[in-house]
Amino acid sequence: MTDIAADKVTIRELVENWAVYRDARLWDRFRTVWHAEGRMMATWFQGGFEEFIKVNDAGWAHGVRILHFLGGSAIDVSGHRGVAQTKMTISQRAPVEGVICDVLCTGRFYDFFEKRDGRWGLVLRQPIYEKDRLDPVDPSAELSLDQDLLKSFPEGYRHLAYLQHKIGYKVKTNMPGIEGPALEELYARGTRWLGGGAL
């Protein structure tokens, strides 16, 4: 196996470990995915991974349940830098307008990795939110959404944002979607990163 191929295998393992350890709340193992200053971006949280752990535990204590499922990855490696794009689905269950609902959001994790002292670690995770839907868990339930509130959120994650807003989170409204300037800027950041530039 070439060095680049081995690096890609390691990066993919870290991507998978993130999802398994985060959803299982195995935080000591979750920490091994990151470099010390690693940052996590999400609709409902933006900050360092240690703070991400704290807010996840706080949410769990209040009934917040968010899970992740991964698909294929495309990984670019240049020297000690890497960028991984991984197909993913975010699922969350919560009451919406008095009805227990599941929201599913499909997109990609766009991850910035670096190899330091022989160890690959995650420096920044920026999800891309491509499309979503919301369904009552009981298919016979009647659900009516506030259409003005729903339309105030970006199309790629408006149902996820609606649910998260309703349970008390402040939702970031300019995340990258399936197209547009935020996505193009993220791609440009990835190119700069692989070229040795700063984030």
Short mmCIF file of all heavy atoms in Angstrom, two decimals, residues 153-187:
data_model
loop_
_atom_site.label_atom_id
_atom_site.label_comp_id
_atom_site.label_asym_id
_atom_site.label_seq_id
_atom_site.Cartn_x
_atom_site.Cartn_y
_atom_site.Cartn_z
N PHE A 153 -35.74 29.39 7.34
CA PHE A 153 -34.50 28.61 7.41
C PHE A 153 -34.08 28.17 6.01
O PHE A 153 -34.92 28.00 5.12
CB PHE A 153 -34.70 27.39 8.31
CG PHE A 153 -35.02 27.73 9.74
CD1 PHE A 153 -36.26 27.38 10.29
CD2 PHE A 153 -34.11 28.39 10.54
CE1 PHE A 153 -36.57 27.67 11.60
CE2 PHE A 153 -34.41 28.70 11.86
CZ PHE A 153 -35.65 28.35 12.39
N PRO A 154 -32.78 27.93 5.80
CA PRO A 154 -32.30 27.51 4.47
C PRO A 154 -32.94 26.19 4.02
O PRO A 154 -33.19 25.30 4.84
CB PRO A 154 -30.79 27.34 4.68
CG PRO A 154 -30.47 28.22 5.85
CD PRO A 154 -31.68 28.13 6.74
N GLU A 155 -33.16 26.08 2.74
CA GLU A 155 -33.89 24.94 2.19
C GLU A 155 -33.26 23.60 2.56
O GLU A 155 -33.96 22.63 2.84
CB GLU A 155 -33.99 25.06 0.68
CG GLU A 155 -34.80 23.95 0.02
CD GLU A 155 -34.95 24.12 -1.46
OE1 GLU A 155 -34.45 25.12 -2.01
OE2 GLU A 155 -35.57 23.24 -2.09
N GLY A 156 -31.93 23.52 2.55
CA GLY A 156 -31.26 22.24 2.76
C GLY A 156 -31.45 21.64 4.13
O GLY A 156 -31.30 20.43 4.31
N TYR A 157 -31.77 22.48 5.12
CA TYR A 157 -31.95 21.96 6.48
C TYR A 157 -33.08 22.66 7.23
O TYR A 157 -33.06 22.75 8.46
CB TYR A 157 -30.64 22.01 7.28
CG TYR A 157 -29.99 23.37 7.46
CD1 TYR A 157 -30.12 24.08 8.65
CD2 TYR A 157 -29.19 23.93 6.47
CE1 TYR A 157 -29.50 25.30 8.85
CE2 TYR A 157 -28.55 25.14 6.65
CZ TYR A 157 -28.71 25.84 7.84
OH TYR A 157 -28.09 27.05 8.02
N ARG A 158 -34.09 23.09 6.51
CA ARG A 158 -35.13 23.90 7.16
C ARG A 158 -35.98 23.09 8.15
O ARG A 158 -36.37 23.61 9.19
CB ARG A 158 -36.00 24.60 6.15
CG ARG A 158 -36.81 23.75 5.23
CD ARG A 158 -37.69 24.60 4.30
NE ARG A 158 -37.07 25.86 3.93
CZ ARG A 158 -37.29 26.51 2.78
NH1 ARG A 158 -38.11 25.97 1.88
NH2 ARG A 158 -36.72 27.65 2.54
N HIS A 159 -36.23 21.81 7.87
CA HIS A 159 -37.01 21.01 8.82
C HIS A 159 -36.19 20.67 10.06
O HIS A 159 -36.71 20.69 11.18
CB HIS A 159 -37.53 19.75 8.14
CG HIS A 159 -38.46 20.03 7.00
ND1 HIS A 159 -38.00 20.18 5.71
CD2 HIS A 159 -39.80 20.22 6.97
CE1 HIS A 159 -39.04 20.44 4.93
NE2 HIS A 159 -40.14 20.47 5.66
N LEU A 160 -34.91 20.37 9.85
CA LEU A 160 -34.01 20.14 10.98
C LEU A 160 -33.91 21.40 11.83
O LEU A 160 -33.99 21.35 13.08
CB LEU A 160 -32.63 19.74 10.46
CG LEU A 160 -31.53 19.50 11.50
CD1 LEU A 160 -31.88 18.32 12.39
CD2 LEU A 160 -30.18 19.28 10.82
N ALA A 161 -33.76 22.54 11.19
CA ALA A 161 -33.66 23.81 11.91
C ALA A 161 -34.96 24.12 12.66
O ALA A 161 -34.94 24.61 13.79
CB ALA A 161 -33.32 24.94 10.94
N TYR A 162 -36.08 23.85 12.02
CA TYR A 162 -37.39 24.08 12.65
C TYR A 162 -37.51 23.28 13.94
O TYR A 162 -37.86 23.81 15.00
CB TYR A 162 -38.49 23.68 11.67
CG TYR A 162 -39.90 24.05 12.06
CD1 TYR A 162 -40.53 25.14 11.47
CD2 TYR A 162 -40.62 23.30 13.00
CE1 TYR A 162 -41.84 25.48 11.81
CE2 TYR A 162 -41.92 23.63 13.34
CZ TYR A 162 -42.53 24.72 12.74
OH TYR A 162 -43.82 25.05 13.07
N LEU A 163 -37.19 21.99 13.86
CA LEU A 163 -37.24 21.13 15.04
C LEU A 163 -36.28 21.64 16.12
O LEU A 163 -36.66 21.75 17.29
CB LEU A 163 -36.91 19.70 14.66
CG LEU A 163 -36.89 18.63 15.75
CD1 LEU A 163 -37.31 17.28 15.19
CD2 LEU A 163 -35.51 18.51 16.39
N GLN A 164 -35.05 21.96 15.73
CA GLN A 164 -34.06 22.39 16.72
C GLN A 164 -34.44 23.73 17.34
O GLN A 164 -34.25 23.95 18.55
CB GLN A 164 -32.68 22.44 16.08
CG GLN A 164 -32.15 21.04 15.75
CD GLN A 164 -30.83 21.04 15.01
OE1 GLN A 164 -30.43 22.04 14.41
NE2 GLN A 164 -30.15 19.92 15.02
N HIS A 165 -34.98 24.63 16.53
CA HIS A 165 -35.46 25.91 17.05
C HIS A 165 -36.57 25.69 18.08
O HIS A 165 -36.60 26.33 19.14
CB HIS A 165 -35.96 26.78 15.89
CG HIS A 165 -36.64 28.03 16.32
ND1 HIS A 165 -35.95 29.17 16.67
CD2 HIS A 165 -37.97 28.33 16.45
CE1 HIS A 165 -36.81 30.12 17.02
NE2 HIS A 165 -38.05 29.63 16.89
N LYS A 166 -37.48 24.77 17.77
CA LYS A 166 -38.62 24.54 18.64
C LYS A 166 -38.23 23.93 19.99
O LYS A 166 -38.96 24.10 20.98
CB LYS A 166 -39.64 23.62 17.94
CG LYS A 166 -40.46 24.33 16.88
CD LYS A 166 -41.42 25.33 17.50
CE LYS A 166 -42.31 26.00 16.50
NZ LYS A 166 -43.31 26.90 17.13
N ILE A 167 -37.08 23.23 20.04
CA ILE A 167 -36.67 22.67 21.33
C ILE A 167 -35.64 23.57 22.03
O ILE A 167 -35.05 23.18 23.04
CB ILE A 167 -36.14 21.22 21.19
CG1 ILE A 167 -34.88 21.15 20.32
CG2 ILE A 167 -37.23 20.31 20.65
CD1 ILE A 167 -34.25 19.75 20.31
N GLY A 168 -35.42 24.77 21.47
CA GLY A 168 -34.67 25.78 22.21
C GLY A 168 -33.28 26.11 21.72
O GLY A 168 -32.58 26.91 22.36
N TYR A 169 -32.85 25.54 20.60
CA TYR A 169 -31.51 25.84 20.09
C TYR A 169 -31.53 27.07 19.20
O TYR A 169 -32.51 27.32 18.48
CB TYR A 169 -30.94 24.66 19.31
CG TYR A 169 -30.52 23.49 20.17
CD1 TYR A 169 -31.26 22.32 20.21
CD2 TYR A 169 -29.37 23.58 20.97
CE1 TYR A 169 -30.88 21.25 21.01
CE2 TYR A 169 -28.99 22.52 21.78
CZ TYR A 169 -29.74 21.36 21.79
OH TYR A 169 -29.36 20.32 22.59
N LYS A 170 -30.43 27.83 19.24
CA LYS A 170 -30.24 28.93 18.29
C LYS A 170 -29.56 28.33 17.06
O LYS A 170 -28.44 27.82 17.15
CB LYS A 170 -29.37 30.03 18.90
CG LYS A 170 -29.12 31.21 17.97
CD LYS A 170 -28.36 32.31 18.67
CE LYS A 170 -27.98 33.43 17.70
NZ LYS A 170 -29.13 34.02 17.01
N VAL A 171 -30.21 28.37 15.93
CA VAL A 171 -29.76 27.69 14.73
C VAL A 171 -29.01 28.67 13.82
O VAL A 171 -29.49 29.76 13.52
CB VAL A 171 -30.94 27.07 13.97
CG1 VAL A 171 -30.48 26.42 12.68
CG2 VAL A 171 -31.66 26.05 14.86
N LYS A 172 -27.83 28.24 13.37
CA LYS A 172 -27.04 29.03 12.42
C LYS A 172 -27.69 28.90 11.04
O LYS A 172 -27.98 27.80 10.58
CB LYS A 172 -25.60 28.51 12.41
CG LYS A 172 -24.62 29.33 11.60
CD LYS A 172 -23.20 28.80 11.80
CE LYS A 172 -22.17 29.47 10.91
NZ LYS A 172 -22.04 30.90 11.18
N THR A 173 -27.89 30.04 10.39
CA THR A 173 -28.71 30.03 9.17
C THR A 173 -27.92 30.24 7.88
O THR A 173 -28.52 30.48 6.83
CB THR A 173 -29.81 31.11 9.27
OG1 THR A 173 -29.19 32.39 9.47
CG2 THR A 173 -30.78 30.82 10.40
N ASN A 174 -26.59 30.14 7.93
CA ASN A 174 -25.80 30.34 6.70
C ASN A 174 -24.83 29.19 6.44
O ASN A 174 -23.74 29.38 5.94
CB ASN A 174 -25.06 31.67 6.75
CG ASN A 174 -24.06 31.76 7.90
OD1 ASN A 174 -24.08 30.92 8.80
ND2 ASN A 174 -23.22 32.76 7.87
N MET A 175 -25.26 27.98 6.77
CA MET A 175 -24.42 26.82 6.53
C MET A 175 -24.42 26.45 5.05
O MET A 175 -25.40 26.72 4.33
CB MET A 175 -24.93 25.63 7.36
CG MET A 175 -24.81 25.82 8.85
SD MET A 175 -23.09 26.00 9.36
CE MET A 175 -23.02 24.82 10.69
N PRO A 176 -23.36 25.80 4.57
CA PRO A 176 -23.32 25.40 3.16
C PRO A 176 -24.44 24.42 2.83
O PRO A 176 -24.76 23.53 3.62
CB PRO A 176 -21.95 24.74 3.02
CG PRO A 176 -21.14 25.25 4.14
CD PRO A 176 -22.11 25.50 5.26
N GLY A 177 -25.02 24.60 1.64
CA GLY A 177 -26.07 23.72 1.16
C GLY A 177 -25.65 23.02 -0.12
O GLY A 177 -24.45 22.92 -0.44
N ILE A 178 -26.61 22.57 -0.89
CA ILE A 178 -26.32 21.79 -2.10
C ILE A 178 -25.70 22.64 -3.20
O ILE A 178 -25.07 22.14 -4.12
CB ILE A 178 -27.59 21.07 -2.58
CG1 ILE A 178 -27.23 19.91 -3.51
CG2 ILE A 178 -28.58 22.05 -3.21
CD1 ILE A 178 -28.38 18.95 -3.77
N GLU A 179 -25.85 23.98 -3.09
CA GLU A 179 -25.22 24.90 -4.03
C GLU A 179 -25.13 26.26 -3.36
O GLU A 179 -25.67 26.47 -2.27
CB GLU A 179 -26.02 25.00 -5.33
CG GLU A 179 -27.44 25.48 -5.15
CD GLU A 179 -28.22 25.52 -6.45
OE1 GLU A 179 -27.62 25.21 -7.51
OE2 GLU A 179 -29.42 25.86 -6.42
N GLY A 180 -24.44 27.20 -4.00
CA GLY A 180 -24.41 28.56 -3.51
C GLY A 180 -23.05 29.01 -3.01
O GLY A 180 -22.09 28.23 -2.95
N PRO A 181 -22.94 30.31 -2.66
CA PRO A 181 -21.65 30.91 -2.27
C PRO A 181 -21.00 30.25 -1.06
O PRO A 181 -19.77 30.12 -1.02
CB PRO A 181 -22.01 32.37 -1.97
CG PRO A 181 -23.29 32.62 -2.70
CD PRO A 181 -24.03 31.32 -2.71
N ALA A 182 -21.78 29.85 -0.06
CA ALA A 182 -21.18 29.23 1.13
C ALA A 182 -20.50 27.91 0.77
O ALA A 182 -19.42 27.59 1.31
CB ALA A 182 -22.25 29.00 2.20
N LEU A 183 -21.08 27.16 -0.15
CA LEU A 183 -20.46 25.91 -0.59
C LEU A 183 -19.19 26.19 -1.38
O LEU A 183 -18.17 25.53 -1.18
CB LEU A 183 -21.46 25.11 -1.44
CG LEU A 183 -20.94 23.77 -1.97
CD1 LEU A 183 -20.65 22.81 -0.81
CD2 LEU A 183 -21.96 23.15 -2.93
N GLU A 184 -19.24 27.17 -2.28
CA GLU A 184 -18.06 27.50 -3.08
C GLU A 184 -16.91 27.98 -2.19
O GLU A 184 -15.74 27.64 -2.43
CB GLU A 184 -18.41 28.55 -4.13
CG GLU A 184 -19.42 28.08 -5.17
CD GLU A 184 -18.99 26.80 -5.87
OE1 GLU A 184 -17.80 26.69 -6.22
OE2 GLU A 184 -19.85 25.90 -6.04
N GLU A 185 -17.23 28.75 -1.17
CA GLU A 185 -16.19 29.22 -0.25
C GLU A 185 -15.60 28.05 0.54
O GLU A 185 -14.39 28.01 0.79
CB GLU A 185 -16.76 30.26 0.71
CG GLU A 185 -15.83 30.66 1.86
CD GLU A 185 -14.44 31.14 1.43
OE1 GLU A 185 -14.27 31.60 0.28
OE2 GLU A 185 -13.51 31.03 2.26
N LEU A 186 -16.43 27.09 0.91
CA LEU A 186 -15.92 25.92 1.62
C LEU A 186 -14.96 25.14 0.72
O LEU A 186 -13.88 24.71 1.18
CB LEU A 186 -17.08 25.02 2.06
CG LEU A 186 -16.69 23.75 2.83
CD1 LEU A 186 -15.93 24.08 4.11
CD2 LEU A 186 -17.95 22.93 3.15
N TYR A 187 -15.31 24.94 -0.54
CA TYR A 187 -14.41 24.27 -1.47
C TYR A 187 -13.09 25.03 -1.59
O TYR A 187 -12.01 24.43 -1.65
CB TYR A 187 -15.05 24.15 -2.84
CG TYR A 187 -16.19 23.16 -2.95
CD1 TYR A 187 -17.11 23.26 -3.99
CD2 TYR A 187 -16.35 22.12 -2.04
CE1 TYR A 187 -18.15 22.35 -4.12
CE2 TYR A 187 -17.39 21.21 -2.16
CZ TYR A 187 -18.29 21.34 -3.21
OH TYR A 187 -19.31 20.43 -3.34
#
